[in-house]
Amino acid sequence: MTLRIDIGGLPSERLRFAASPLAELTAMLHVLAEPGHHPQLADWAGDVWTGLRPELAERLREAEFLWRSSQADFLIPARPRQTLAEELDDVDRIDDERYVTAALVTTCGSNRVHFGMPSPLTDAIARERALDLAQSRGALQEAFAERLLADPAAVRARVRDTLEQCAEAFFDTAWAGVAVRLATDLRLKNDLLKRQGIGPALASVSDAVTLAPDGDRIIVDKLQDKATTAHGTGVTFIPSVFGRPHLVAVHAPGWQPVVQYPVAEPSAAEPEPVSLEKVTLRLEALAHPVRLRLLRTLARSPQTNRELAYAWDLTPPEVSRHLAVLRRAGLLTARRDGRYVRYTLDLPALTALGSDLLGAVLR
């Protein structure tokens, strides 16, 4: 599964490496919403939550669908600015249609959700469909979608005010702490781009980002099998310290392609001893392409059997069989939520597999 960005004939100056305060704030908000994805930042997240005013903490929870499982496109700027205020001003210039569409896609939580014409802002049927999709994700998502569709201006103003409060509460301090690291990474990337060309520059971004052999496409290893073009707009690469291990890509129609990539080093943790039999079981579970797709979906957010079946055009019994294999391998956890069972990827177990394999072989 890949994202393909067409750059055929694109002038070299249209490929940009730049830091974005808003994109880094979005990465921080994701850490606060999904600390399990970022164990190396657990202490930071705990300290921030402890210091937040109750009102701001509640605001973050009510709007977390904009950055929890995936990030709304308007939070990853195509043209980064020097300050957060300047980037928020740019967001204010986006029309309601694009803003609401981007917000609904993340709120409804499906890579197969598309809101085109007619618009849910003006068409009753499209509006009900959007609300049904949000309701299937939970009461909080439904309430947020209702407010967004009823009064986009009010929600937009509240989201901006929330982000500005985050700047005062924790972002400004954290941004000052990572700015030098981001600037250093940008100097390296831009020097590679200038002296050696796009291929080496992309290779330094991530193993998941490559240049196609014909040189006309950037290939990004992502969950979605999508294609977009950088013609007329270019493509922007944004480094992130708080974003590790995620590689975020903006690719929706009408949006300039943007890739936010991690620059922080992974933390070195001592692996727990695991038997060779357990390692073999996990490798066999991961060998099946369908199970690998299910795991990549679950890495973004907890899902029910039916949600996974819908996302990949499978039957619920098929999904159940694959989930059973993954659970026996210790790669999933399950939690009952009313009449539903939500499955979650066991990130520590998956992360440790590489060191577990080496340790099992050498023991």
Side-chain angles (χ1 to χ4, degrees), residues 28 156 195 224 234 263:
M28 293 178 193
R156 295 180 64 162
R195 297 178 181 277
Q224 298 93 351
V263 299

Side-chain angles (χ1 to χ4, degrees), residues 7 10-18 185-205 211 218 235-237 261:
I7 59 169
L10 188 74
S12 59
E13 64 270 15
R14 292 289 183 86
L15 193 148
R16 310 177 188 89
F17 285 89
D185 181 81
L186 289 174
R187 283 195 296 271
L188 293 172
K189 297 294 189 294
N190 283 307
D191 184 65
L192 276 172
L193 183 62
K194 178 181 178 180
R195 297 178 181 277
Q196 299 185 38
I198 185 173
L202 293 179
S204 71
V205 167
L211 184 65
I218 297 172
V235 57
T236 301
F237 288 84
Y261 63 92

Side-chain angles (χ1 to χ4, degrees), residues 104 107-108 129-143 145:
L104 285 175
T107 303
C108 295
R129 176 173 176 267
L131 291 176
D132 285 345
L133 288 167
Q135 183 185 45
S136 70
R137 297 296 297 160
L140 292 177
Q141 289 91 330
E142 181 185 18

Side-chain angles (χ1 to χ4, degrees), residues 105-114 133 137 300 310-311:
V105 168
T106 58
T107 303
C108 295
S110 172
N111 64 321
R112 298 180 64 193
V113 172
H114 301 285
L133 288 167
R137 297 296 297 160
R300 302 180 67 177
Y310 173 76

Side-chain angles (χ1 to χ4, degrees), residues 286-304:
L286 292 170
H288 198 292
V290 172
R291 290 196 284 272
L292 194 57
R293 291 180 181 181
L294 295 178
L295 280 180
R296 297 186 75 179
T297 303
L298 291 169
R300 302 180 67 177
S301 64
Q303 303 271 328
T304 66

Side-chain angles (χ1 to χ4, degrees), residues 140-161:
L140 292 177
Q141 289 91 330
E142 181 185 18
F144 183 82
E146 285 179 342
R147 292 194 301 272
L148 181 67
L149 290 170
D151 193 347
V155 171
R156 295 180 64 162
R158 185 172 175 84
V159 169
R160 172 165 184 157
D161 183 60

